[in-house]
């Protein structure tokens, strides 16, 4: 008789975030890998709580008991993951939790599940299954950071995911790790500082083997860690063109890719929409404190030229910025807005500066006693870059809310999205890619509106000002509500 495994991707009910961008709703690839790496005779099912719930409002399971439940979670998902785990264990099911939060906080996660998987699954996961089947499951497993050559011909079970939810987009792993050490980023903590490259020929074989048209390169930077890694990225995209592997794809990288016209050309010819680029800030003092070395090396005065070169290749620029970093004052919002509009940034998304666990930023802010959301694990739900969880030093909370409202009013509200869409067509001369940017921006508008509501709720709760001064001026509560309600 086959054993049954349930794979669960938790979601905070009511949250809008990256998962709300409908044009690229994608499967949780790590769960698809768990299914592919599991030896023996198993039946699999999956619940992606972006699409359906694993537990109802009363905390009751929505699925029948199985032999083994595997849950993945990033930090903001962890309180929900623990609730799901509790409901499963009450029904006698064994629960294993992995993902970035469990990997950086294994002792915490171990309080809520039967076993914690730390790190990456390629080498150790088969042994986990053997131990479970033998009744010898360990409390913690260390997967480590194996070489990506182990992924050769081991492709994620996308068919399982597609059969359940008919995802239109999928991620694909081409590299892992990051030698940079930006103070807010969890990637070096979770995946290591060594840039591990998967043989690009194997990536091409996987691309050719899947019928998924839409692909997102899963890593945080597919280009820019040295001459050899840049050549490898170029070979990958050239290989797509040479083999006729045309995909609707995007990825994450840094602005220095703009200096490589040949790579940009292969990217465009292989079906690339554009790329998400971590701009973070236009203030070099802020970038210095973040340790954003790639942008500092280019210099903020070169941003315009870099963006123009990407546009000249017909590709859109998906700019990602950070609001609320130390060094940014109340005028930084206007400066960023001017930068976005003057440089025709096709898509603007953002994160509120967030001290994720075990990052340099967390250590510093915690030592300065500035983090006020510390009722863990429940307060981890706020660590999603959509909430303020620490006290600002260069502006008041009112300044921050007013500044965020200013960005929304001038970049997203009214006819601004359509104006930026028309500018994208002019600058890229590529209606397809410009329409992609417009659709992403249209979905992000609701994310932005929810962030404004989150900020208003924080102000009204008084939590930000506990044991702190409180300004008597509440100049932005009314306009926020008027804007969000339209």
């Amino acid at each position: 008789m086959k054993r049954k495994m349930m794979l669960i991707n938790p979601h905070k009910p009511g949250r809008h975030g990256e998962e709300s961008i409908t044009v690229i709703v994608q499967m949780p690839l790590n769960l698809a890998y768990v299914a592919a790496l599991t030896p023996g005779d198993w039946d699999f099912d999956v619940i992606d709580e972006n699409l359906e719930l694993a537990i109802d409002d009363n905390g009751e399971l929505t699925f029948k008991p199985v032999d083994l439940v595997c849950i993945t979670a990033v930090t903001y998902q962890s309180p929900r993951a623990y609730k799901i785990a509790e409901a499963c264990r009450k029904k006698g099911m064994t629960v294993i939790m992995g993902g970035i939060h469990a990997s950086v906080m294994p002792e915490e996660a171990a309080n809520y599940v039967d076993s914690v998987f730390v790190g990456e699954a390629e080498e150790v996961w088969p042994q986990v299954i053997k131990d479970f089947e033998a009744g010898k499951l360990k409390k913690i497993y260390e997967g480590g950071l194996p070489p990506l050559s182990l992924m050769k011909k081991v492709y994620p079970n996308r068919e399982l995911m597609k059969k359940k939810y008919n995802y239109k987009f999928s991620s694909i792993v081409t590299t892992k790790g990051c030698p940079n050490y930006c103070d807010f980023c969890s990637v070096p903590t979770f995946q290591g500082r060594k840039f591990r490259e998967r043989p690009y020929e194997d990536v091409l074989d996987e691309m050719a083997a899947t019928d998924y048209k839409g692909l997102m390169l899963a890593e945080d930077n597919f280009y820019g860690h040295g001459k050899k890694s840049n050549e490898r990225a170029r070979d990958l995209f050239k290989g797509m063109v040479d083999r006729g592997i045309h995909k609707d794809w995007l990825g994450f990288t840094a602005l220095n890719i703009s200096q490589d016209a040949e790579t940009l050309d292969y990217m465009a010819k292989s079906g690339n929409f554009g790329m998400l680029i971590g701009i973070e800030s236009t203030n070099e003092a802020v970038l210095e404190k973040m340790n954003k070395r790639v942008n500092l090396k280019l210099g903020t005065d070169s941003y315009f030229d870099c963006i123009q070169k990407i546009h000249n290749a017909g590709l859109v620029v998906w700019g990602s910025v950070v609001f609320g970093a130390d060094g940014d004052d109340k005028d930084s919002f206007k400066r960023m807005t001017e930068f976005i509009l003057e440089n025709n940034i096709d898509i603007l998304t953002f994160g509120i500066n967030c001290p994720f666990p075990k990052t340099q930023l967390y250590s510093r802010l915690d030592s300065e006693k500035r983090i006020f959301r510390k009722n863990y694990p429940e307060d981890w739900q706020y660590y999603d870059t959509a909430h303020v969880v620490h006290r600002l030093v260069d502006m008041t909370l009112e300044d921050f809310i007013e500044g965020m409202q200013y960005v929304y009013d001038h970049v997203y509200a009214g006819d601004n999205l359509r104006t930026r869409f028309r500018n994208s067509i002019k600058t890229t001369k590529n209606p397809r890619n410009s329409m992609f940017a417009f659709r992403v921006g249209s979905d992000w508008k609701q994310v932005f509106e929810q962030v404004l509501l989150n900020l208003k709720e924080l102000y009204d709760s008084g939590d930000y000002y506990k044991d702190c001064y409180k300004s008597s001026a509440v100049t932005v509560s009314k306009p926020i509500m008027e804007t969000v309600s339209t």
Side-chain angles (χ1 to χ4, degrees):
M1 184 176 177
K2 284 187 177 182
R3 296 178 186 265
K4 295 182 179 180
M5 183 186 299
M6 178 63 77
L7 307 166
I8 300 178
N9 181 40
H11 178 66
K12 180 182 174 182
R15 178 187 186 269
H16 291 299
E18 294 85 356
E19 68 280 356
S20 302
I21 302 175
T22 57
V23 67
I24 53 170
V25 171
Q26 57 183 300
M27 66 181 65
L29 193 72
N30 50 355
L31 295 181
Y33 266 110
V34 167
L37 292 167
T38 300
D41 197 11
W42 285 77
D43 277 336
F44 300 95
D45 197 359
V46 59
I47 292 181
D48 184 348
E49 285 208 307
N50 293 302
L51 301 167
E52 65 172 320
L53 298 180
I55 54 174
D56 61 23
D57 293 341
N58 298 317
E60 297 297 325
L61 292 172
T62 61
F63 62 93
K64 294 180 180 179
V66 296
D67 297 289
L68 182 61
V69 176
C70 298
I71 306 176
T72 185
V74 297
T75 293
Y76 82 84
Q77 295 172 314
S78 59
R80 178 73 176 182
Y82 297 153
K83 289 179 181 178
I84 294 170
E86 180 183 25
C88 291
R89 294 175 83 192
K90 281 183 178 179
K91 296 292 185 181
M93 289 180 270
T94 299
V95 179
I96 301 177
M97 183 173 171
I100 188 167
H101 188 77
S103 293
V104 299
M105 301 292 291
E107 296 85 2
E108 176 193 276
N111 293 322
Y112 300 92
V113 299
D114 297 286
S115 183
V116 177
F117 194 96
V118 176
E120 299 169 14
E122 285 78 11
E123 279 190 306
V124 178
W125 184 254
Q127 184 61 50
V128 175
I129 297 301
K130 290 178 182 177
D131 289 352
F132 169 76
E133 292 176 339
K136 298 179 180 179
L137 194 66
K138 298 176 184 177
K139 194 64 180 178
I140 294 181
Y141 288 88
E142 297 280 352
L145 303 174
L148 299 195
S149 58
L150 291 178
M151 300 176 69
K152 189 172 183 180
K153 303 302 180 185
V154 180
Y155 303 154
N157 190 342
R158 292 187 175 92
E159 288 307 308
L160 167 69
M161 303 291 176
K162 186 175 183 180
K163 183 178 179 181
K164 183 70 181 283
Y165 296 117
N166 196 29
Y167 294 101
K168 298 296 188 286
F169 241 79
S170 173
S171 301
I172 186 168
V173 175
T174 80
T175 69
K176 289 185 180 181
C178 182
N180 298 324
Y181 207 32
C182 301
D183 74 338
F184 55 82
C185 185
S186 298
V187 171
T189 306
F190 179 50
Q191 294 188 343
R193 295 190 66 182
K194 181 180 180 181
F195 189 57
R196 290 172 289 146
E197 300 173 331
R198 183 178 170 193
Y200 75 87
E201 297 92 344
D202 188 42
V203 178
L204 291 171
D205 289 344
E206 182 178 342
M207 286 182 172
T210 179
D211 59 359
Y212 263 93
K213 181 71 171 174
L215 291 176
M216 176 181 284
L217 274 59
E219 55 268 27
D220 286 74
N221 190 357
F222 60 76
Y223 179 99
H225 291 307
K227 184 178 178 181
K228 286 186 176 181
S229 67
N230 296 347
E231 290 174 351
R232 178 197 164 279
R234 189 182 309 123
D235 287 340
L236 173 61
F237 308 136
K238 182 178 183 297
M240 292 176 69
V241 174
D242 292 345
R243 291 178 56 172
I245 304 172
H246 192 278
K247 300 288 185 180
D248 295 329
W249 73 272
L250 67 153
F252 304 76
T253 192
L255 269 172
N256 58 350
I257 198 171
S258 62
Q259 309 306 304
D260 189 338
E262 184 181 6
T263 296
L264 290 176
D265 183 56
Y266 283 127
M267 289 170 64
K269 289 177 179 176
S270 64
N272 181 233
F273 290 116
M275 62 224 76
L276 190 150
I277 293 174
I279 293 170
E280 321 308 2
S281 176
T282 58
N283 183 332
E284 291 197 356
V286 173
L287 294 173
E288 189 79 45
K289 198 152 194 173
M290 290 179 175
N291 198 33
K292 188 74 178 184
R293 290 178 295 175
V294 175
N295 291 20
L296 285 168
K297 186 176 181 180
L298 284 169
T300 56
D301 55 356
S302 71
Y303 280 7
F304 178 82
D305 179 66
C306 293
I307 292 164
Q308 190 172 37
K309 287 178 177 177
I310 295 171
H311 281 156
N312 289 343
L315 304 174
V316 300
V317 173
W318 180 335
S320 178
V321 303
V322 174
F323 290 120
D326 289 0
D328 276 337
D329 57 22
K330 64 180 182 179
D331 295 324
S332 62
F333 301 95
K334 185 176 181 180
R335 292 193 296 269
M336 180 57 73
T337 299
E338 290 173 350
F339 169 80
I340 295 299
L341 298 178
E342 289 173 2
N343 288 274
N344 293 312
I345 302 295
D346 307 279
I347 306 167
L348 169 67
T349 57
F350 63 87
I352 295 175
N353 204 30
C354 183
F356 291 112
K358 301 297 175 69
T359 60
Q360 292 183 80
L361 181 61
Y362 188 98
S363 297
R364 178 168 65 82
L365 295 182
D366 192 39
S367 69
E368 296 170 1
K369 302 187 184 307
R370 290 168 56 191
I371 301 174
F372 63 89
R373 295 289 196 200
K374 294 188 71 175
N375 180 29
Y376 306 132
E378 189 62 29
D379 274 357
W380 289 130
Q381 66 178 306
Y382 299 110
Y383 287 66
D384 60 354
T385 74
H387 292 81
V388 172
V389 301
H390 70 281
R391 293 188 176 91
L392 309 165
V393 292
D394 296 300
M395 66 183 105
T396 66
L397 178 61
E398 293 90 337
D399 292 334
F400 186 80
I401 301 173
E402 190 172 50
M404 293 294 287
Q405 185 72 54
Y406 181 91
V407 177
Y408 176 85
D409 289 342
H410 289 80
V411 177
Y412 277 95
D415 199 46
N416 286 311
L417 281 172
R418 291 184 179 85
T419 299
R420 291 167 57 211
F421 170 55
R422 290 190 288 269
N423 288 338
S424 288
I425 294 178
K426 290 179 183 177
T427 55
T428 66
K429 298 179 175 57
N430 192 318
R432 167 206 182 244
N433 293 354
S434 299
M435 177 55 71
F436 170 80
F438 176 74
R439 291 178 64 188
V440 172
S442 298
D443 286 337
W444 192 263
K445 182 179 179 182
Q446 69 174 332
V447 178
F448 208 139
E449 289 170 355
Q450 185 178 70
V451 170
L452 292 173
L453 283 174
N454 293 342
L455 292 169
K456 169 68 165 54
E457 290 172 359
L458 172 61
Y459 184 91
D460 289 344
S461 73
D463 289 344
Y464 183 86
Y465 287 114
K466 282 180 181 176
D467 304 317
C468 190
Y469 81 93
K470 182 167 183 176
S471 168
S472 59
V474 190
T475 59
V476 294
S477 297
K478 188 168 182 283
I480 285 175
M481 295 308 295
E482 287 176 348
T483 300
V484 174
S485 64
T486 56

